[in-house]
Amino acid sequence: MGHDSAGTDGASRRIPEATVARLPIYYRALVDVADRDVTTVSSDRLAELAGVNAAKVRKDLSYLGTYGTRGVGYDVKQLLAEISRDLGLTHDWAVAIVGLGHLGQALADYRGFGARGFRVAALFDADPAKIGRQVGGLEVSPAASIRAVASERGVRIGIIATPPHVAQAVADDLVAAGVSSILNFAPALLSVPGGVSLRKVDLAVELQILAFYQSRRSVPAAGG
Amino acid sequence: MGHDSAGTDGASRRIPEATVARLPIYYRALVDVADRDVTTVSSDRLAELAGVNAAKVRKDLSYLGTYGTRGVGYDVKQLLAEISRDLGLTHDWAVAIVGLGHLGQALADYRGFGARGFRVAALFDADPAKIGRQVGGLEVSPAASIRAVASERGVRIGIIATPPHVAQAVADDLVAAGVSSILNFAPALLSVPGGVSLRKVDLAVELQILAFYQSRRSVPAAGG
DNA sequence: AGGAGCTTGTGCATTCGATCACGAAGTCGG
DNA sequence: CCGACTTCGTGATCGAATGCACAAGCTCCT
Ligand SMILES: NC(=O)c1ccc[n+]([C@@H]2O[C@H](COP(=O)([O-])OP(=O)(O)OC[C@H]3O[C@@H](n4cnc5c(N)ncnc54)[C@H](O)[C@@H]3O)[C@@H](O)[C@H]2O)c1
Ligand SMILES: NC(=O)c1ccc[n+]([C@@H]2O[C@H](COP(=O)([O-])OP(=O)(O)OC[C@H]3O[C@@H](n4cnc5c(N)ncnc54)[C@H](O)[C@@H]3O)[C@@H](O)[C@H]2O)c1
């Protein structure tokens, strides 16, 4: 869902999309248990921590290659290293944030990304009042310089937090700068060339989904 | 994904979860075309605007009841009304935001919710420095008062934007206040009683998923 | 050494969602 | 009124994902 253009030609093993989406959850759970000096976890325990089924955990991990020991469980450190490697968290990911409004500033100030190898490397805005200001310790560059600055700084992931009507133009600039992964917060449909991954986060949609189910619950059987 | 405890007993027609998740997208697309004084849309056109398959659009809309005219398409106004009704956007949804940090403030300041019937009705934070301050035109109440204030103001949707370690306690308070829909931004696994809908937005997970696919692309076949 | 007790890895059935393909039903021009 | 054309509604098919159930494999105790 939301993601297209996955690894077309199977790199080594093909990992199902649903599994990929759970790897970060396992990763976080493993970091937690590693902090408590636990050396092994069972699929049962990990499933509980991640809020999923134990069989699913085992099947998911089996896609990464086999690292569990029957009768014992998984070695936490080893599994952590394996997931890290597969998620590419051993790399350094330069991230650019475009649109330093309410949301963009919150993202720029967020201190939770660095821990996972993500580093905010560039900030862009079109508003002259914002350009040149410091946000989260980094200077805001003009939106017109996206192509030059983003490619120069080796940005690989772009985050779009602009109003929706300029989102496509921003995406085009990011792609032109060599960015091939985009996370879009603007409620707009973006089209990107093949080979570029695109994911969307839409808060209004989330609320509306909640509203749907709650409506159903409140009015269980109209005219029943 | 992420959603559980849907309408257990089929209210009238059972609408698949995947369809529910697309209704807000159709809704937004329809609002756009309605602005341009277009009176009907075909499933093809709507599919294009929503970025999905045309057959999927038709099947999705068929779950709401039949409102299209063969040979013509769908009446925009009528369809808009129908989706509005199904998503419960005709109601007034009182929303509470808990945790007025970077993210919570961005949400509180956001002017895009009101348009869809969502109204921020209460703000909560545990930090004495924040309590009593105005954010987005509303005063921040103490976190200790969640149960009293949220239920008094008829809050139906709770947004959690606190640090992860207090998220469960906040969720419990919200549920105790009668909130039965929760949107969680904290990277923590929450458990809620049956009958409460829970959705999660996890930005770090989104980035990690992007990183995964990009890693695969950059290193297509190590040792090739 | 041998067996009891766990826990993994995976084949299989089932459920869910996406897409195709086509009959049904409407419009419109003559 | 009729036939060509458009577009909907949906049965059928296909593929992905989930979860069960159990054999295989490891550890540890006796
Ligand atoms: N703030 C929220 O809580 C929230 C919630 C849901 C969705 N969103 C969406 O996220 C996006 C950002 O929201 P926001 O509240 O931060 O909006 P905002 O208006 O506060 O910020 C938008 C920023 O983008 C900048 N900008 C405009 N055009 C630009 C361009 N061409 N290039 C670069 N920057 C440009 C503006 O100068 C501004 O700083 C919007 O699309 C909004 O719909 C926000
Ligand atoms: N800011 C981001 O861009 C971002 C990105 C990804 C995830 N998140 C997650 O969203 C959540 C909020 O992020 P943030 O950057 O706004 O954090 P923040 O630290 O800026 O804000 C957290 C707020 O919660 C308040 N709080 C603490 N305990 C509370 C309690 N018991 N009841 C009510 N309020 C309480 C704090 O006083 C603070 O105001 C965090 O869980 C974070 O991991 C944020």
Side-chain angles (χ1 to χ4, degrees), chain A residues 53-138:
Chain A
N53 182 291
K56 193 152 42 177
V57 170
R58 292 198 294 275
K59 190 159 285 191
D60 283 344
L61 296 184
S62 78
Y63 289 118
L64 311 183
T66 298
Y67 286 90
T69 306
R70 289 167 145 108
V72 176
Y74 299 87
D75 182 280
V76 175
K77 276 196 164 37
Q78 194 178 4
L79 190 52
L80 215 35
E82 175 59 23
I83 296 182
S84 268
R85 200 176 59 77
D86 275 303
L87 285 176
L89 305 187
T90 50
H91 301 33
D92 172 74
W93 295 97
V95 175
I97 299 173
V98 187
L100 274 292
H102 292 117
L103 187 58
Q105 288 186 36
L107 292 168
D109 283 330
Y110 187 47
R111 301 264 154 264
F113 293 146
R116 308 269 195 277
F118 298 99
R119 177 174 51 86
V120 180
L123 304 175
F124 300 100
D125 202 296
D127 183 353
K130 295 216 168 89
I131 296 168
R133 275 184 40 202
Q134 298 270 328
V135 176
L138 202 62

Side-chain angles (χ1 to χ4, degrees), chain A residues 2 16 20 23 32 48 62 70 80 86 98 125 155 157 193 206 220-221:
Chain A
V20 173
L23 290 181
D32 284 351
E48 188 187 349
S62 78
R70 289 167 145 108
L80 215 35
D86 275 303
V98 187
D125 202 296
V155 168
I157 298 183
E206 297 298 327

Side-chain angles (χ1 to χ4, degrees), chain B residues 97 100 103-111 113 120 123 135-138:
Chain B
I97 300 173
L100 273 293
L103 186 59
Q105 287 186 36
L107 293 169
D109 283 330
Y110 187 49
R111 300 265 154 260
F113 293 147
V120 180
L123 305 174
V135 177
L138 201 61

Side-chain angles (χ1 to χ4, degrees), chain A residues 28 181 197 199 206 217, chain B residues 197 199 202 206 214 217:
Chain A
R28 183 173 291 145
S181 296
S197 296
R199 295 188 66 86
E206 297 298 327
R217 248 181 280 126
Chain B
S197 296
R199 295 188 66 86
D202 193 322
E206 297 298 327
Q214 184 152 346
R217 250 181 280 126

Side-chain angles (χ1 to χ4, degrees), chain B residues 98-182:
Chain B
V98 186
L100 273 293
H102 293 116
L103 186 59
Q105 287 186 36
L107 293 169
D109 283 330
Y110 187 49
R111 300 265 154 260
F113 293 147
R116 307 268 195 279
F118 298 99
R119 176 174 53 85
V120 180
L123 305 174
F124 299 100
D125 202 297
D127 183 353
K130 297 216 167 90
I131 296 169
R133 277 184 40 203
Q134 298 270 328
V135 177
L138 201 61
E139 188 177 319
V140 177
S141 307
S145 69
I146 292 180
R147 295 181 189 221
V149 175
S151 61
E152 177 195 315
R153 298 192 191 169
V155 169
R156 300 211 275 171
I157 298 181
I159 299 181
I160 300 179
T162 64
H165 63 278
V166 300
Q168 181 64 60
V170 168
D172 293 343
D173 282 345
L174 287 170
V175 170
V179 171
S180 58
S181 296
I182 293 179

